[in-house]
């Protein structure tokens, strides 16, 4: 690490601390394998980021002939009225949706009910087994999404949501256990920034930092397509999406957790995998400043790697 890089990381850690965020970041050049990060190996609950491996494994099972992508599933209505959930999760009536369309809803608009319909076909332990079979490690899949819809937020009136966030901030243990089960790394779906960057590398292009990808090219292309059509673009997209670059990603949010992982592909051919997992220390539901800070830190890390190429 050069002195300039060391100073950059010190400054970024300070910015995160002052912005009320603990951040786990990793940026990797998918061509060279060069990378730069901040606490990239810290294990955190991953919230909706688990929908990437869910999509991957579902598509792999379709490729193997174990599932029919055109099969229509009856999905019960979520009938959720609290802010946040999307798609079928807010429906008042049952819907009939094909498996491949459920993957779209789960991945592109982060529909929890669609994801749980997929988990009913491929339970969490089977998702984990297929990931292991494909050589993709570091993401623990333990439960479906409905457990994320049963947090303290749902027990408070909208005006008191900050109390749920205060509990999320203050009820943890030094070993990352937590009184809120969805935030306890021994019970939640978990992963690290490095594990997600490895997963992204396997989907985009296997390189020197990981074993040759065992993900079938057609499956990888389908997952990339879903991530390119992600509709949630308020977090890192403003710093990476432009006329000269494309940003394909998946976000995750739960209580004080804010995450996004994705790949930026530049017109000049450079491609970077980026994983950002954060915990906020501010007891508030809406924090646009935290979203902006995540993007700014990720971009400065990407710029540091990009400067080595120029």
């Amino acid at each position: 690490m050069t002195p300039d890089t060391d100073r950059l990381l010190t400054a970024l850690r300070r910015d995160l601390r002052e912005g009320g965020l603990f951040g786990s970041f990793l940026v990797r050049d998918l061509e060279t394998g060069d990378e730069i990060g901040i606490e990239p190996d810290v294990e955190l609950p991953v919230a909706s980021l688990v929908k990437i491996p869910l999509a991957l494994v579902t598509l792999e099972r379709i490729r193997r002939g174990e599932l029919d992508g055109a099969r229509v599933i009856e999905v019960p209505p979520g009938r959720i009225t609290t802010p946040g959930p999307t798609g079928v999760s807010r429906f008042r009536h049952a819907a009939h949706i094909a498996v491949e369309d459920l993957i779209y809803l789960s991945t592109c608009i982060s529909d929890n009910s669609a994801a749980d319909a997929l988990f009913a076909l491929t339970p969490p332990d089977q998702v984990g087994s297929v990931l292991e079979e494909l050589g993709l490690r570091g993401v623990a899949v333990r439960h479906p999404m409905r457990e994320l819809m049963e947090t303290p937020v749902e027990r408070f009136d909208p005006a008191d949501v900050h109390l749920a966030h205060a509990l999320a901030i203050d009820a943890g243990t030094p070993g990352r256990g937590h009184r809120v089960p969805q935030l306890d790394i021994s019970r939640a779906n978990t992963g690290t920034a490095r594990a997600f960057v490895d997963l992204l590398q396997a989907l985009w292009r296997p390189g020197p930092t990981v074993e040759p990808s065992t993900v079938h090219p057609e499956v990888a292309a389908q997952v990339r397509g879903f991530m390119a059509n992600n509709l949630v673009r308020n977090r890192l997209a403003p710093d990476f999406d432009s006329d000269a670059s494309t940003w394909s990603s998946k976000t995750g949010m739960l209580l004080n957790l804010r995450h996004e992982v994705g790949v930026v592909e530049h017109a000049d051919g450079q491609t970077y995998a980026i994983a950002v997992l954060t915990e906020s220390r501010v007891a508030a539901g809406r924090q646009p400043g935290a979203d902006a800070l995540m993007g700014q830190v990720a971009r400065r890390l990407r710029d540091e790697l990009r400067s080595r190429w120029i």
Side-chain angles (χ1 to χ4, degrees):
M1 184 182 301
T2 68
D4 286 345
T5 300
D6 189 53
R7 283 192 290 271
L8 172 66
L9 294 177
T10 298
L12 294 179
R13 289 189 179 97
R14 182 188 64 242
D15 291 345
L16 290 168
R17 184 171 60 253
E18 292 177 353
L21 285 180
F22 166 79
S24 177
F25 292 73
L26 187 65
V27 180
R28 180 183 296 163
D29 184 329
L30 292 185
E31 184 65 33
T32 67
D34 289 346
E35 61 184 34
I36 184 172
I38 298 172
E39 306 291 349
D41 298 304
V42 173
E43 185 179 14
L44 289 169
V46 297
S48 287
L49 296 186
V50 77
K51 294 167 184 171
I52 302 175
L54 174 62
L56 167 60
V57 171
T58 303
L59 290 165
E60 173 62 18
R61 295 192 66 212
I62 292 172
R63 186 191 71 81
R64 296 176 181 181
E66 298 172 4
L67 295 174
D68 179 0
R71 175 186 170 189
V72 175
I73 305 293
E74 180 174 328
V75 184
R79 295 177 179 169
I80 294 176
T81 58
T82 53
T86 60
V88 182
S89 299
R90 306 192 78 85
F91 280 21
R92 298 180 62 186
H93 308 284
H96 293 82
I97 306 171
V99 171
E100 287 182 331
D101 292 332
L102 288 170
I103 301 173
Y104 166 77
L105 293 173
S106 171
T107 310
C108 298
I109 71 169
S110 207
D111 183 339
N112 287 341
S113 291
D116 276 350
L118 296 175
F119 271 126
L121 298 173
T122 309
D125 59 346
Q126 188 175 4
V127 174
S129 295
V130 176
L131 290 177
E132 183 72 21
E133 179 185 337
L134 295 174
L136 299 170
R137 301 175 180 87
V139 178
V141 185
R142 298 187 174 101
H143 61 74
M145 303 307 298
R146 63 177 174 269
E147 296 190 21
L148 300 186
M149 296 181 276
E150 300 171 354
T151 72
V153 167
E154 284 71 40
R155 303 173 190 175
F156 288 99
D157 292 332
D160 295 324
V161 166
H162 65 282
L163 298 176
H165 287 266
L167 175 63
I169 293 166
D170 296 334
T173 69
R176 297 202 167 272
H178 208 285
R179 288 169 56 190
V180 178
Q182 296 90 339
L183 300 179
D184 186 328
I185 64 167
S186 68
R187 292 184 280 179
N189 297 326
T190 62
T192 66
R194 187 176 304 281
F196 275 96
V197 165
D198 287 345
L199 174 56
L200 295 172
Q201 177 130 34
L203 292 171
W204 259 260
R205 58 175 76 164
T209 61
V210 294
E211 298 175 0
S213 178
T214 56
V215 179
H216 192 278
E218 292 181 5
V219 171
Q222 288 175 289
V223 178
R224 294 197 303 269
F226 284 123
M227 293 179 66
N229 287 300
N230 175 27
L231 296 181
V232 184
R233 307 187 72 80
N234 62 305
R235 198 159 288 157
L236 269 60
D239 283 277
F240 292 108
D241 205 10
S242 72
D243 289 345
S245 63
T246 59
W247 175 244
S248 305
S249 72
K250 179 74 192 75
T251 59
M253 184 171 178
L254 175 68
L255 293 170
N256 65 325
L257 302 177
R258 281 172 170 76
H259 308 325
E260 185 161 0
V261 304
V263 171
V264 58
E265 300 172 86
H266 295 284
D268 61 9
Q270 285 191 284
T271 305
Y272 299 89
I274 300 169
V276 178
L277 282 63
T278 72
E279 292 177 327
S280 174
R281 305 300 299 175
V282 178
R286 294 183 175 88
Q287 297 185 44
D291 292 334
L293 179 58
M294 290 168 61
Q296 292 162 11
V297 171
R299 178 161 183 163
R300 290 179 69 183
L301 291 171
R302 190 287 314 268
D303 289 348
E304 172 67 15
L305 278 189
R306 193 163 164 81
S307 69
R308 300 175 187 177
W309 184 85
I310 295 174

